[in-house]
Amino acid sequence: MIPRKRVRIAFIGIGLLTGMAMADAAAPISLDGWRHSTEPDDVHVFLCQRADCVFGSWVSCRTEPLDAAVPPWARRKDDSTAATVASEGDKPAMVSPPLNLNLIGRSYWIETADDGTSTYRTSSIVHDATSTFVLTSSSSDRNASWANLDRFESALQKTK
């Protein structure tokens, strides 16, 4: 007979592993070298952990049904969530993206902090047969922000 304490520990361990597997399965895509986190409101945040990553690189992804309108507050809230996750407990990054969302092409903006450092953000929308994916890429390097956005757009397009 197995003691109750061991059975409880086994169930807790199985529950944690199942929960982690479900969180990874919920990601719209998976890319090597990017750590995934599902945040409230089904915002997916990907943090770059490759050796060649530019500091502060992250990508957020919001998934909406194909026919649903993207809420006007969504990108500002998603950026704030992703910036907080990326800072990993440090003070949240200051986020003030434009209110408009370019539904046809790509959007690009620069945020400059009081200390003069800049954050480069790029954004686009990818559609598949059933969903709309709103992507935002952020980095302390302009070219890295664009390259990361390209990487995620390409990965989403290949899953169609």
Side-chain angles (χ1 to χ4, degrees):
M1 185 162 172
I2 300 173
R4 285 182 184 237
K5 189 173 187 177
R6 285 189 187 166
V7 171
R8 276 191 230 143
I9 291 171
F11 280 121
I12 291 170
I14 291 169
L16 287 173
L17 290 174
T18 303
M20 289 188 315
M22 288 174 64
D24 286 338
I29 54 174
S30 173
L31 293 175
D32 287 340
W34 291 81
R35 181 172 55 108
H36 170 256
S37 172
T38 302
E39 300 302 317
D41 298 325
D42 291 326
V43 175
H44 300 277
V45 178
F46 298 87
L47 302 174
C48 191
Q49 296 186 317
R50 295 184 334 259
D52 63 342
C53 278
V54 172
F55 175 76
S57 292
W58 55 259
V59 173
S60 69
C61 178
R62 169 180 286 277
T63 306
E64 296 286 344
L66 187 60
D67 296 332
V70 177
W73 50 264
R75 193 166 78 181
R76 183 179 300 257
K77 186 170 188 254
D78 295 353
D79 286 355
S80 179
T81 298
T84 301
V85 170
S87 68
E88 302 207 9
D90 295 343
K91 65 177 184 167
M94 202 162 195
V95 178
S96 56
L99 293 174
N100 63 331
L101 180 61
N102 187 344
L103 299 177
I104 298 169
R106 294 171 146 194
S107 299
Y108 170 71
W109 64 99
I110 303 169
E111 297 173 4
T112 304
D114 292 338
D115 65 2
T117 59
S118 295
T119 300
Y120 301 88
R121 304 219 190 199
T122 54
S123 182
S124 71
I125 295 179
V126 176
H127 303 281
D128 71 8
T130 60
S131 302
T132 297
F133 304 96
V134 180
L135 294 171
T136 300
S137 173
S138 179
S139 182
S140 58
D141 178 82
R142 182 178 69 82
N143 292 333
S145 183
W146 284 112
N148 293 336
L149 184 66
D150 290 341
R151 185 175 287 121
F152 276 77
E153 282 178 332
S154 178
L156 281 169
Q157 290 167 351
K158 289 177 183 175
T159 63
K160 292 181 184 182

